Amino acid sequence: MEENAPKWTDTEVAEIKETILTALESVIDPELGIDIVNLGLIYEVEFEQTGNTVIKMTLTTMGCPLADILTDNIQSALAEIPEVTNVEVKLVWYPAWTTDKMSRYARIALGIR
């Protein structure tokens, strides 16, 4: 195998990203009691051939005190995935989070129409 040859095919990378998203569903926002995926806080999952993974996410409010807790919980959840060798969580503020980003499940659970 060539040194620079990709370890995974595009299909496998897509499957790994799905596995990452599924793992992120185990990370619960302590204030709202809903996972960060269904809350719409995850904006992007980048997975590189090296196993380096970047999670771009936002928070419900700019000064949210839970950023460190959520980051730690994300690190723990993704540590279970063998393909993931390193995790970086990047907080982004654009586009701003709104309840429109929530899944139908999250809206129903929180009584939002």
Side-chain angles (χ1 to χ4, degrees), residues 6-21:
K7 287 183 182 178
W8 297 287
T9 65
D10 289 347
T11 303
E12 289 169 329
V13 168
E15 289 170 1
I16 293 166
K17 284 182 172 184
E18 275 304 310
T19 301
I20 290 168
L21 272 176

Side-chain angles (χ1 to χ4, degrees), residues 61-79:
T61 59
M62 197 95 131
C64 179
L66 300 173
D68 291 342
I69 292 168
L70 291 175
T71 298
D72 290 347
N73 291 346
I74 288 169
Q75 297 277 355
S76 296
L78 299 189

Side-chain angles (χ1 to χ4, degrees), residues 8 18 27 38-39 60 70 100 107 112:
W8 297 287
E18 275 304 310
V27 178
N38 278 293
L39 282 174
T60 54
L70 291 175
D100 294 343
R107 279 199 208 354
I112 297 172

